[in-house]
Amino acid sequence: METAEAVETIQREMTIFARRARASAGRLHPELSLVSYTLLGHLEERGGCRATDLAAHYALDKSTVSRQVAALERGGLIARRPDADDHRVQVLHLTDAGRRILAQVTESRRAAFRERLARWPAGDLERFAEYLERYNAWGGADGDE
């Protein structure tokens, strides 16, 4: 396979992967979109952050993040708290309900990946993981990650 053909195949397959990820997110938890799941995971990983930090990290429009955050707040999955260092700043944190939903969806996603990859040889899984890490580590021309 030539380089141009390989790149085209990668692009096509990653588009299919993204479509399936969005579709499966809805099946795993109908009220939790893939974006919402991703934002909850980031908040858990960071121990909370500002909405503007979420927008910057994921290169999303602030209005998109604002809508997602509002929906997550209405659902009782996140709450705002004043920043300890600057009380003018609101920091988003997972609620107990948010942690429970995130854990349930994460386990369902892991189970789906385990099932899909169950017949892959260990070496293939390791290479695939390394390739995905390398692909996702690239920050682009402007250095953003």
Side-chain angles (χ1 to χ4, degrees):
M1 181 180 297
E2 292 183 26
T3 300
E5 185 181 350
V7 169
E8 184 62 28
T9 299
I10 291 167
Q11 182 276 327
R12 182 184 66 244
E13 294 301 318
M14 289 186 77
T15 299
I16 292 167
F17 176 83
R19 285 185 189 135
R20 282 190 176 146
R22 281 192 300 274
S24 71
R27 286 192 306 273
L28 295 174
H29 194 280
E31 295 86 38
L32 197 61
S33 71
L34 183 59
V35 172
S36 294
Y37 172 78
T38 303
L39 298 181
L40 289 177
H42 188 82
L43 290 174
E44 180 183 53
E45 183 180 303
R46 301 270 190 224
C49 70
R50 301 174 305 161
T52 55
D53 297 331
L54 289 171
H57 182 77
Y58 290 106
L60 293 171
D61 186 78
K62 289 179 186 176
S63 64
T64 299
V65 171
S66 180
R67 284 190 301 275
Q68 293 291 328
V69 164
L72 292 170
E73 281 183 297
R74 280 193 306 275
L77 304 180
I78 63 172
R80 294 176 191 261
R81 288 189 239 152
D83 186 282
D85 298 325
D86 184 350
H87 292 289
R88 297 171 298 171
V89 175
Q90 296 288 306
V91 178
L92 305 170
H93 293 274
L94 289 179
T95 62
D96 289 341
R99 279 186 193 77
R100 279 192 303 277
I101 292 294
L102 181 63
Q104 289 170 1
V105 174
T106 297
E107 184 49 41
S108 295
R109 289 175 59 84
R110 283 184 183 138
F113 275 105
R114 283 191 299 268
E115 181 181 344
R116 186 162 196 127
L117 300 170
R119 295 180 184 258
W120 286 37
D124 286 356
L125 288 173
E126 291 165 11
R127 279 188 297 283
F128 187 48
E130 289 169 6
Y131 293 152
L132 286 172
E133 285 176 338
R134 189 166 78 189
Y135 179 83
N136 286 325
W138 184 68
D142 58 2
D144 289 340
E145 289 191 61

